[in-house]
Amino acid sequence: MDDLTALRTALNGADPAAGTAPAPEARHRARTRAIARLEESPAVSRPLWRRIPVLAAGAAAAALAVGAGTLLLPTGEPGGIPAAYAAPPEPIEVVGGDPVDGTDGLLALAEVAGDRGPAPGSGDVAFVSTTGTRLIRLTAGAGDEDPDETHGYRYVPYEWNEWTGPGGEHRSDTHPQPPLDKGGEEADHEWFLEQGTESSEETLHPSLVWPAELPTDPDGLAEVLAGLGEGPADGSPAGIVNAVEFLYGNRPLAGPEEAAVQRVLAGLDGLEYLGTATDPLGREGELFSVEVADGTSVSEFRFLYDAGNGSLLYRDTILLAEDPELGSAEDYGLSYPLTAEQVGYVWSGWVGEVGARP
C-alpha cells in the first residue's frame, strides 16, 4: 500500500478528493504554471545595466530586457501567451510650449534643492517607497540561447518598497496590481494575473552599495555614478542616467546631494525643459528630459521635480526605437514613442532596520 492509498484509507471515506482526478486542461495549466514560475526572472530595467551584476536573473532574461521587465515562458506549450499588447498607461499632462534647453532651469532648481536639509527619518538603513506602472515583455524560448519569438507586452501597476543597509543588506517588497489590460484569454495567463506580493532579501554586490556620504560636488558625484557596478567606469550618458535611476530607487538624498544629482543631469548634452506637469499622484512639478541611445534602444528619460524644494516627484522612460532583432512594438499594433515605465516617489528616508517603516 502506497502513502496516498494509506491516507485515503485512514480518512475512511471523508477525503473530498476521493475518486476524482483533475481534468486534462487543469493538469496542463498547473504544469505550465509550475514551469513558468521556475523560469520567471525578476524585472530588469534595460541592457544598459549589463555591466552590473544581475542578481538572481538568468542570462536569457538579461539579454531580452529592453525597457521593461521580462518573463520567460517554456517553449512547446500549447495555449501559451496571446499575441497582443495591453493599452499603455495615460501619459502625464504637460503644460508648456515647445521644449527648450533645460540646463539653466535645472541648475536653478539645484540651488533650491541645496537649501533643503537632510533626508527625513533616523537610522542607517535607506528606505524608498515608490508606485508606478512597468511594461513587461512576455516571450517564448526560456532556456534557449537565442530566443526568437516575442509574444506580447503587458502593463502592470506596482507598489515597490526597498530597504538597503550599510553593508548592502537589501530587501525588496513588490506588490503587483491587476494589469491595466489583460488581453487574450485570461486562462492563458492566470498564473501571471494572480501573482501577489513578493518579498526578497539578499546582500548586494559591494559595487552596488552607495558610500555612507555622497559627494555634493557634481564632478565627485559623477565619478561615483560612473563607478557603479563591476568593470570599468561608465561615464556615458546611458551609464549616468541608469546610475541616477538606481540611486533614486535605493537611497534617500539630502538637499545638497540631490542638488549634485541635478547638476550632473544638467551637464548632459540635449537636456530639455518640457514645462509644468502633474504626476499620476496629482503632484505638480517641473519636467526635464534627456534622450539616450545605447546598443539596443533609444529612450527618453524624464524627471519631474518639485519647484518648491527641488525633490524628485516622478520619473518615466519612453522608448523611441528598439533594435528590430529584439522585436518591435509595431508588430503588435503599437507605435513608438512607447511608455516603458512610470515611477512615482511616495517616501524616502532613513529607518532603524531593514523592514522597518516610517
Side-chain angles (χ1 to χ4, degrees):
M1 179 181 296
D2 59 29
D3 292 343
L4 181 59
T5 303
L7 178 60
R8 292 185 184 276
T9 301
L11 289 172
N12 195 26
D15 182 2
T20 66
E25 294 82 2
R27 290 170 60 88
H28 169 71
R29 186 180 301 162
R31 178 175 181 272
T32 300
R33 179 186 301 186
I35 297 174
R37 286 191 181 279
L38 289 175
E39 296 293 343
E40 179 180 338
S41 72
V44 184
S45 299
R46 288 168 300 281
L48 302 181
W49 284 104
R50 57 188 175 271
R51 63 186 291 272
I52 295 176
V54 179
L55 305 174
L64 283 174
V66 182
T70 302
L71 296 176
L72 300 179
L73 302 184
T75 54
E77 296 291 340
I81 310 307
Y85 280 91
E90 290 293 326
I92 63 174
E93 183 179 354
V94 182
V95 179
D98 294 333
V100 298
D101 183 275
T103 304
D104 290 342
L106 193 52
L107 289 176
L109 197 60
E111 294 295 326
V112 176
D115 294 332
R116 195 176 66 229
S122 62
D124 57 3
V125 173
F127 173 62
V128 179
S129 177
T130 55
T131 182
T133 301
R134 178 168 289 164
L135 176 63
I136 305 294
R137 172 176 289 177
L138 303 164
T139 148
D144 292 348
E145 291 184 2
D146 186 21
D148 59 1
E149 186 176 4
T150 297
H151 284 289
Y153 284 178
R154 296 292 179 273
Y155 285 93
V156 182
Y158 287 93
E159 294 176 2
W160 298 282
N161 293 289
E162 308 282 340
W163 291 265
T164 306
E169 315 85 49
H170 182 74
R171 171 177 162 179
S172 175
D173 288 354
T174 302
H175 182 54
Q177 310 294 320
L180 299 183
D181 185 338
K182 296 175 182 178
E185 296 294 331
E186 182 172 346
D188 291 339
H189 251 336
E190 192 173 355
W191 63 272
F192 175 68
L193 299 174
E194 294 178 352
Q195 65 178 331
T197 297
E198 296 183 356
S199 181
S200 62
E201 296 187 8
E202 61 192 341
T203 299
L204 296 177
H205 189 278
S207 65
L208 298 178
V209 180
W210 299 105
E213 294 185 9
L214 290 172
T216 56
D217 65 285
D219 291 339
L221 181 61
E223 184 176 349
V224 171
L225 294 172
L228 184 68
E230 290 185 297
D234 184 2
S236 68
I240 291 297
V241 171
N242 273 311
V244 166
E245 289 188 343
F246 186 74
L247 174 62
Y248 273 122
N250 288 271
R251 193 183 191 280
L253 297 177
E257 294 171 336
E258 186 147 29
V261 172
Q262 292 162 345
R263 291 181 177 117
V264 170
L265 292 176
L268 297 178
D269 291 338
L271 181 78
E272 293 184 327
Y273 171 67
L274 304 183
T276 300
T278 302
D279 76 357
L281 298 179
R283 302 171 301 184
E284 186 176 273
E286 304 302 315
L287 188 63
F288 297 84
S289 77
V290 63
E291 184 176 312
V292 170
D294 73 340
T296 59
S297 64
V298 180
S299 300
E300 179 185 10
F301 297 89
R302 307 195 304 177
F303 300 87
L304 184 71
Y305 286 102
D306 187 322
N309 62 18
S311 63
L312 181 67
L313 301 174
Y314 163 93
R315 68 169 177 84
D316 60 29
T317 305
I318 300 173
L319 278 171
L320 304 178
E322 295 182 87
D323 186 338
E325 293 186 359
L326 298 176
S328 171
E330 295 168 349
D331 295 338
Y332 296 89
L334 289 185
S335 60
Y336 302 102
L338 183 65
T339 300
E341 186 176 43
Q342 293 182 324
V343 178
Y345 292 83
V346 179
W347 194 88
S348 64
W350 299 100
V351 295
E353 59 183 5
V354 173
R357 288 176 173 271

